[in-house]
Amino acid sequence: MTLTEIGESRVNGYLFVLERSLRSFLPLEVVRDAVREIESHVRERVAAADGAPNEREALERILAELGPPLRVAQAYSAERTVDEAVATGRVVPMLRAVWTLALRTFVGSAIATGLFSAYAAGIGFLVIAALKPIFPNNVGLIGRNGGPWTLGAQFPLPPGATVHGGYWIIPVSIACGVGVLVFAHTTTRQYLTSWGKRRRPEL
Amino acid sequence: MSHETWQEQLRRGSLDLAILLTVSDGPRYGLAIIQHLEAFTDLVVTEGTIYPILGRLTREGLLAAEWVEGEAPHPRKYYSLTRAGIKRLNTMKAEWRAFAEKIERLMTSSERRAS
């Protein structure tokens, strides 16, 4: 099947959307190579098609089998979680990328343990800040029989344990939680960026 | 886990092996790989999603990719197994056979008990 001008426009439109989608998280040279390969696929399919029942339907069938450009781009994204995480800086892609690296190497799993612990600690501080107004007698700096105080919550409070401090624990916990989360997020991004740079020559 | 999720995981888990097997007898370009997979399996749901996997396998050093021009009106990107790819394929084949054999034994035993 030889494409008319309208068919060519449809193919170019598909490739344009794909390229724009890929550009948001892939280096330009990788995008060019990927788009070239997808275009090769489309041209090959078009050349082999008989154009029945008409060009429009035949072409739409080819593009449907290939998949919507956004879905193809997402597939590239899934294969490049680290690149996506670094490019967007969003929490979920970053945690997914850290998890992916953790499964690959021992060092990656050790770093992931540290980062996930930091995220958990940050969330823990915020949980304490949220629980304090609801359970003022169970949340705060808890001391027992003159022993060291620990920050947390206990339900029920053990015999001999007392909750020290007051509601000032709320702003302190919020500050600590936000601080730890920002630190964890920044460190995660730096880690993924350095990992991505080390891998870049392999692309 | 739903049945669909399980099927999807099974499909994804076996795609790498299927792709490496497809290029094990010689270099193939993307569409030829897809057509080969479609002829023997139902692993390809969306054709376009095979290309990112080919890219990853290339980045991992299991496949080598080379653009060939002049063979067709449009350039084709051929993929072939590297030495590391051959080694990985052999390991994956052995592991797959051992795994399939164990599951088969389990199913046979289960069916025997049930009957």
Side-chain angles (χ1 to χ4, degrees):
Chain A
M1 176 172 80
T2 307
L3 289 180
T4 61
E5 205 171 308
I6 295 169
E8 283 292 340
S9 299
R10 176 72 180 99
V11 171
N12 290 336
Y14 180 99
L15 296 173
F16 177 78
V17 175
L18 177 68
E19 185 178 358
R20 299 298 292 186
S21 308
L22 291 173
R23 270 191 182 193
S24 61
F25 60 89
L26 285 183
L28 195 57
E29 70 273 22
V30 180
V31 173
R32 283 195 187 126
D33 193 74
V35 173
R36 189 184 183 200
E37 188 167 30
I38 296 293
E39 182 177 7
S40 172
H41 174 108
V42 174
R43 301 281 175 207
E44 191 93 28
R45 280 282 197 216
V46 166
D50 57 5
N54 55 57
E55 180 197 78
R56 187 171 173 273
E57 284 189 32
L59 186 54
E60 288 307 322
R61 193 170 54 243
I62 289 168
L63 296 179
E65 283 168 357
L66 184 59
L70 289 178
R71 181 161 180 194
V72 176
Q74 277 170 1
Y76 275 97
S77 158
E79 296 296 338
R80 290 177 170 270
T81 48
V82 174
D83 299 68
E84 185 198 12
V86 172
T88 64
R90 293 202 306 264
V91 174
V92 173
M94 284 176 68
L95 292 180
R96 200 167 51 211
V98 170
W99 177 253
T100 304
L101 298 184
L103 298 176
R104 288 189 182 180
T105 63
F106 175 75
V107 175
S109 64
I111 292 171
T113 305
L115 291 173
F116 286 140
S117 301
Y119 276 109
I123 291 167
F125 276 116
L126 296 181
V127 168
I128 286 171
L131 288 178
K132 181 66 179 172
I134 307 168
F135 306 103
N137 299 322
N138 296 81
V139 179
L141 287 168
I142 300 171
R144 193 174 176 185
N145 301 326
W149 293 358
T150 54
L151 181 66
Q154 292 215 355
F155 301 95
L157 209 59
T162 47
V163 177
H164 301 276
Y167 286 105
W168 56 265
I169 210 84
I170 297 172
V172 171
S173 290
I174 290 173
C176 289
V178 171
V180 170
L181 283 176
V182 168
F183 170 76
H185 198 68
T186 309
T187 309
T188 303
R189 198 163 190 186
Q190 283 173 349
Y191 161 58
L192 293 174
T193 305
S194 70
W195 192 88
K197 279 179 185 165
R198 283 204 306 276
R199 276 192 63 105
R200 195 69 69 205
E202 296 172 29
L203 293 174
Chain B
M1 187 191 344
S2 72
H3 180 61
E4 286 74 23
T5 308
W6 179 76
Q7 276 183 315
E8 178 62 15
Q9 287 182 351
L10 197 61
R11 192 183 71 81
R12 284 191 186 181
S14 46
L15 251 178
D16 284 15
L17 173 60
I19 289 172
L20 294 179
L21 282 169
T22 301
V23 293
S24 64
D25 56 353
R28 286 178 200 256
Y29 58 96
L31 183 57
I33 293 171
I34 290 169
Q35 286 170 333
H36 187 80
L37 289 173
E38 285 173 341
F40 286 90
T41 71
D42 54 1
L43 292 173
V44 182
V45 176
T46 310
E47 293 179 348
T49 58
I50 296 297
Y51 291 100
I53 300 173
L54 289 169
R56 173 173 52 78
L57 293 172
T58 306
R59 288 198 305 280
E60 288 176 359
L62 304 178
L63 295 179
E66 188 190 7
W67 280 101
V68 174
E69 300 197 28
E71 188 187 78
H74 40 268
R76 288 169 168 168
K77 193 176 184 183
Y78 274 84
Y79 294 90
S80 56
L81 274 182
T82 61
R83 200 172 287 181
I86 294 169
K87 201 173 161 188
R88 175 73 66 85
L89 177 60
N90 289 333
T91 309
M92 288 173 86
K93 275 159 65 177
E95 286 173 353
W96 180 274
R97 285 193 172 118
F99 177 77
E101 195 182 317
K102 285 172 193 164
I103 294 294
E104 183 60 39
R105 259 199 329 252
L106 195 62
M107 286 196 297
T108 308
S109 159
S110 162
E111 284 161 4
R112 204 175 291 150
R113 281 200 309 274
S115 62

